[in-house]
Amino acid sequence: MDTYILGIESSCDDTSAAVLKNTKILANVIANQDVHKFYGGVVPELASRAHQQNIIPVVHRALNAANITKKQIHAIAFTNGPGLLGSLLVGASFAKGFSMSLGIPLIEVNHMHAHILAHFIDDEKQPANPEFPFLCLTVSGGHTQIVLIRDYFAMQVIGQTIDDAAGEAFDKAAKIMGLPYPGGPLIDKLAGQGDVGAFKFPHPNIPGLDFSFSGLKTSILYFLRDQLKEDSNFIEKNKVDLSASIQYTIIEILMKKLRKAVSETGIKQVAIAGGVSANSGLRQAMLDESEKSGWKVYIPKLEYSTDNAAMIAITGYFKYLKGDFATQTIIPFTRYANQS
Ligand code: KG4
Ligand code: ZN
């Protein structure tokens, strides 16, 4: 029998609903919140309000696009964390009400695990499913982790950032350069026309498989402050080279630890996931490494890199098969918890 899962994602500033038929994608609707652009970052209260406004229309659009009625849904999966509490509560409360009114199971999903399991969405434009065990570099606006995945629900974080996330490094660098939020995609675009070797920024010296990005932010800040004293147009004149050099440094920091993880675990199947996996430089670095070192790499379709509900629905599907359901008293969590 076919199983239809409705997925809901509302952890940060995107309201999204998706419908899966087994592992196959039928609909993935995302409402972005432009309001945060004016503030240079996500404003939690405004995000909660926008989710509250968007959630019902987004679910309707997803059901229409999937061409099914709500009565055909077997279970509803929602992001239970990590994320902004007010944002998470909108999705959790909606999911609870939907599950209760239809008498269908409620499934809680860890947002970071869902980024990884997005690789298993059956979409003709996605590459083949990763084979277990594999490593995943999960890089988003709030997290940077190297995860060893033995099975859908056997995931171990073997390295992580001790301060800023990779996405934050992109966004903060962009902010220093006067670019609007979120700066990651803009740096990516500008970097394409720049010289990666134009400016050199220091790499952190962190033991093991952990990362640090706060030093990079500080060195960019001081470097630009000094340059602007000499030439107030320095950033404008060097925008593309600065973007290319900053992007290259972030990617090198990430790839260095990923290479170390491959050599320590002996696992050469390597995936990337999360918003920063949309970065064209990181995608190319993975392809280059595949060519050079024989890694089998898995790069998600762009739509499943940044926040989306399809990844919540696929995780929900695997939990549905296990009968792993949540109760109505479940409460969202804001910080990463090592659980599925
Ligand atoms: O996974 P995601 O959509 O949301 C979180 O869970 O945080 O990741 C958002 C992050 C932001 O920091 C954004 O700037 C970054 O992903 N991002 C990018 C690109 N697209 C999104 N960073 C670099 N290059 C991109 N193309
Ligand atoms: Zn995310």
Side-chain angles (χ1 to χ4, degrees):
M1 193 188 74
D2 289 326
T3 303
Y4 292 91
I5 306 282
L6 174 64
I8 303 290
E9 156 62 31
S10 73
S11 65
C12 191
D13 60 341
D14 295 309
T15 318
S16 179
V19 180
L20 283 192
K21 177 183 180 180
N22 306 317
T23 56
K24 192 172 170 12
I25 185 80
L26 296 185
N28 185 34
V29 174
I30 303 170
N32 303 115
Q33 302 179 359
D34 280 342
V35 60
H36 307 289
K37 275 201 178 108
F38 302 107
Y39 299 92
V42 176
V43 183
E45 183 173 333
L46 295 179
S48 316
R49 288 169 187 270
H51 283 305
Q52 192 70 273
Q53 191 171 31
N54 291 339
I55 189 119
I56 303 271
V58 162
V59 169
H60 273 297
R61 274 168 53 204
L63 291 174
N64 283 343
N67 204 16
I68 62 162
T69 67
K70 57 182 187 292
K71 293 221 162 65
Q72 287 173 268
I73 303 280
H74 291 89
I76 178 160
F78 71 100
T79 306
N80 199 37
L84 301 169
L85 188 66
S87 293
L88 290 164
L89 283 170
V90 176
S93 302
F94 173 83
K96 287 182 182 185
F98 193 89
S99 125
M100 190 169 258
S101 65
L102 290 168
I104 57 172
L106 177 68
I107 300 174
E108 61 140 337
V109 171
N110 180 310
H111 180 89
M112 296 312 292
H113 294 175
H115 268 304
I116 298 170
L117 294 181
H119 281 279
F120 295 90
I121 296 167
D122 182 2
D123 179 318
E124 58 202 20
K125 296 203 188 82
Q126 281 250 98
N129 292 350
E131 283 164 30
F132 300 117
F134 67 97
L135 297 175
C136 186
L137 173 71
T138 317
V139 267
S140 71
H143 298 82
T144 294
Q145 302 175 328
I146 299 178
V147 187
L148 196 170
I149 300 105
R150 293 199 172 83
D151 189 13
Y152 299 115
F153 299 107
M155 298 189 188
Q156 185 190 356
V157 177
I158 58 173
Q160 61 191 317
T161 183
I162 59 166
D163 42 53
D164 291 350
E168 247 174 313
F170 271 105
D171 296 339
K172 285 181 177 173
K175 198 169 179 176
I176 297 170
M177 285 170 62
L179 299 172
Y181 179 87
L186 290 169
I187 290 207
D188 188 356
K189 210 165 148 204
L190 292 167
Q193 306 149 47
D195 171 8
V196 297
F199 304 104
K200 295 262 181 284
F201 295 105
H203 283 217
N205 193 6
I206 306 292
L209 297 173
D210 288 341
F211 302 93
S212 167
F213 288 101
S214 65
L216 175 63
K217 176 194 65 189
T218 313
S219 71
I220 295 169
L221 188 67
Y222 289 164
F223 173 71
L224 290 180
R225 189 193 58 187
D226 293 346
Q227 297 300 321
L228 287 170
K229 275 187 205 150
E230 311 281 314
D231 176 1
S232 60
N233 272 334
F234 182 82
I235 295 180
E236 197 47 43
K237 280 188 202 152
N238 295 285
K239 217 154 61 180
V240 292
D241 285 344
L242 280 167
S243 296
S245 305
I246 291 167
Q247 176 169 301
Y248 178 75
T249 309
I250 295 173
I251 293 170
E252 264 312 292
I253 294 171
L254 293 170
M255 293 303 292
K256 201 167 132 194
K257 290 296 169 101
L258 204 47
R259 286 183 206 112
K260 189 170 160 71
V262 167
S263 99
E264 284 181 8
T265 60
I267 297 171
K268 282 190 149 193
Q269 309 221 72
V270 193
I272 51 173
V276 180
S277 71
N279 183 268
S280 53
L282 179 59
R283 289 171 167 249
Q284 190 55 50
M286 290 291 287
L287 295 173
D288 293 347
E289 200 64 42
S290 157
E291 189 115 305
K292 205 174 93 197
S293 314
W295 293 6
K296 193 160 181 200
V297 298
Y298 302 96
I299 299 170
K301 191 182 166 191
L302 277 178
E303 189 180 337
Y304 306 133
S305 298
T306 45
D307 286 352
N308 67 88
M311 68 187 198
I312 307 303
I314 189 78
T315 309
Y317 173 71
F318 293 127
K319 284 192 143 188
Y320 182 84
L321 296 183
K322 283 206 311 176
D324 185 352
F325 304 141
T327 66
Q328 284 283 337
T329 55
I330 191 161
I331 308 165
F333 58 93
T334 53
R335 291 178 167 272
Y336 181 78
N338 215 348
Q339 48 159 90
S340 285

